[in-house]
Structures are given as C-alpha cells and as structure tokens.
C-alpha cells in the first residue's frame, strides 16, 4: 500500500482565499483523522471520521474550517476564508481500529502558508 | 487545554549516551500511551506504545516507562544514534480521544 496520501504538499495562498486540502487514507482503514501542527501547540486533532461519518469535530477551530469524507477513500479539509494564523502543517492520518487502541498512520502533511 | 505536555522543546545528547524524553498528562481517563517520531518533511511514525496496565515496555533500544500515579511517562533511547535525531511526540488516548504533546526535538551529536 502507498500509505496515506495528501495533496498538495505545499500551498501558498493569500488571506481571504479558500483552501482545500485532500487526503486518501490507507485502503481498509475505517478511521480518518485531520491534525494541525504548529510550533506553539504541537499536533492538534481537528476532526476524525469513522466509516465516513464525522465523530468528533470539537478540535475544529472555527466555522471557517470544514471537513468532509464523501467516501472511504477520500477526505477534504477546507478553510474559507483563510487567515495568516492558519499557516501550519496539516496532517491526515488513518487507522484500522478505533481511537486509542490502534496505531495511526500519518501522511506526509500539507504545509500551508497564508500571506 | 494542553492535556499532554512535553515541557522540553529540545534535547541534545552525545552519540552512545542515553536520551530521556519526558511527557506529562492530566486526564486520568487516558489508558494508552504512544510515542511517535517525526523526521523533517515527513509525517509522524509510530515508535512504541504502552498500556496503562503496564509500567514498562521495551523494544530494542527504546523503552517507555509509565508512572500512573504521577501521570508521567518517559521514553529512553540507549544507546542514542545520530539517526535518532528527530522530533518525538508523546500521545495519550482512550477509546474516544487521542491527544498529542507539542513534541521534543532530539539531536544526537556524533
């Protein structure tokens, strides 16, 4: 398996623009997670899905952030409108079993820069 | 609300010596703990874990120790190698939640 795939790897945009990050989890994994990494807060869990259904989105910072998982092999994280403080590395991860009992496999991340 | 804290943002050790990375958590409901390792421009990768029913788990050069009463865990790497230089994230979880620390950047000098 190719592992978790994320695109784009780098995104530079201007404040106010819409940004869409994409993720393809490992085939057969039922859980998908979106994280944000910053220097100050480390890895923050934004949202996770089980069988394409959002389970916990309490980490989503604001209404400007939204995530979808239309099918088992694809998820998006959208920021609209983007702001400079959204600049971070965004990781997608997937796991076979539920949170807390199974290893999560991370993608390479998308480095987002909002000017 | 930082439920998992790694108070040392960086650590530097000499090759061959022991590296000790520390992690504290606040939520007593966490019952599973993991360490992830991250190289630049890559995603974190799983390194080692420990269940709350144990106080030690060893895998080669890596050992994780858990002190539940103190809500503290540590990762020991011995002997440290230059290839161990990376950012190490501590994570704590239960059935519904997983929280990561901010990470500790380990540098192993030759």
């Amino acid at each position: 398996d190719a592992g978790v795939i994320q695109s784009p790897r780098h995104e530079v945009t201007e404040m106010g623009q819409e940004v869409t990050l994409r993720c393809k989890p490992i085939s057969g994994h039922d859980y998908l997670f979106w994280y944000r990494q910053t220097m100050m807060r480390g890895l923050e869990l934004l949202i996770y899905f089980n069988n394409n259904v959002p389970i916990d989105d309490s980490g989503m910072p604001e209404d400007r952030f939204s995530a979808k998982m239309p099918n088992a092999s694809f998820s998006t994280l959208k920021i609209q409108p983007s702001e400079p403080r959204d600049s971070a590395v965004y990781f997608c991860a997937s796991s076979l079993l539920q949170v807390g009992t199974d290893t999560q496999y991370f993608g390479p991340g998308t480095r987002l820069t909002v000017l | 609300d930082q439920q998992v804290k790694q108070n040392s943002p960086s650590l530097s050790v000499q090759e061959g010596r022991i590296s000790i990375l520390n992690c504290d958590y606040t939520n007593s409901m966490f019952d599973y703990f993991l360490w992830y390792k991250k190289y630049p421009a890559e995603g974190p990768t799983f390194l080692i874990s420990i269940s709350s029913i144990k106080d030690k788990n060893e895998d080669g050069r890596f050992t994780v120790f858990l002190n539940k009463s103190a809500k503290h865990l540590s990762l020991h790497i011995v002997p440290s190698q230059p290839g161990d230089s990376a950012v190490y994230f501590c994570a704590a979880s239960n059935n519904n939640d997983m929280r990561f620390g901010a990470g500790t950047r380990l540098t192993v000098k030759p």
Side-chain angles (χ1 to χ4, degrees):
Chain A
D1 198 312
V4 176
I5 299 172
Q6 290 186 248
S7 64
R9 293 295 308 274
H10 302 273
E11 177 78 36
V12 180
T13 190
E14 292 187 346
M15 183 174 64
Q17 296 297 306
E18 177 180 298
V19 175
T20 299
L21 311 181
R22 298 173 177 80
C23 175
K24 182 181 188 312
I26 292 173
S27 177
H29 281 192
D30 291 334
Y31 288 81
L32 183 140
F33 308 83
W34 282 102
Y35 289 91
R36 177 172 67 177
Q37 182 193 8
T38 61
M39 290 291 290
M40 293 300 296
R41 299 178 66 84
L43 272 173
E44 298 175 272
L45 176 64
L46 301 177
I47 186 172
Y48 79 90
F49 295 83
N50 178 23
N51 291 322
N52 314 338
V53 176
I55 303 300
D56 183 356
D57 65 353
S58 59
M60 296 285 263
E62 303 172 29
D63 291 344
R64 298 184 296 105
F65 286 69
S66 63
K68 294 182 179 179
M69 192 165 185
N71 57 63
S73 60
F74 183 66
S75 176
T76 59
L77 178 68
K78 185 177 293 187
I79 308 172
Q80 166 63 18
S82 57
E83 297 182 2
R85 59 192 169 122
D86 301 330
S87 297
V89 180
Y90 291 81
F91 289 101
C92 175
S94 70
S95 69
L96 186 60
L97 302 175
Q98 68 186 98
V99 176
T101 60
D102 191 26
T103 302
Q104 293 183 19
Y105 295 84
F106 284 77
T110 295
R111 180 174 295 278
L112 173 64
T113 302
V114 183
L115 303 174
Chain B
D1 177 21
Q2 291 284 307
Q3 296 189 41
V4 178
K5 294 182 181 180
Q6 294 177 256
N7 291 320
S8 297
S10 64
L11 174 68
S12 181
V13 299
Q14 206 68 34
E15 180 180 6
R17 305 296 290 267
I18 186 171
S19 296
I20 301 177
L21 296 92
N22 294 302
C23 178
D24 297 290
Y25 61 97
T26 57
N27 188 346
S28 59
M29 298 302 293
F30 289 137
D31 57 9
Y32 196 67
F33 305 89
L34 309 93
W35 285 93
Y36 282 79
K37 178 179 180 179
K38 183 186 178 305
Y39 291 119
E42 296 181 9
T45 56
F46 170 74
L47 183 60
I48 192 169
S49 63
I50 188 167
S51 165
S52 60
I53 62 174
K54 295 185 175 181
D55 55 17
K56 176 183 176 181
N57 188 28
E58 189 173 354
D59 182 3
R61 297 185 297 113
F62 302 91
T63 303
V64 56
F65 295 92
L66 175 63
N67 182 334
K68 284 177 296 204
S69 61
K71 295 190 181 68
H72 176 83
L73 65 155
S74 60
L75 174 67
H76 292 211
I77 307 173
V78 56
S80 302
Q81 299 174 354
D84 296 329
S85 297
V87 176
Y88 290 79
F89 290 98
C90 165
S93 68
N94 54 35
N95 284 342
N96 301 306
D97 194 13
M98 176 176 281
R99 302 286 168 171
F100 283 81
T104 297
R105 181 177 300 278
L106 172 66
T107 303
V108 181
K109 298 179 179 179

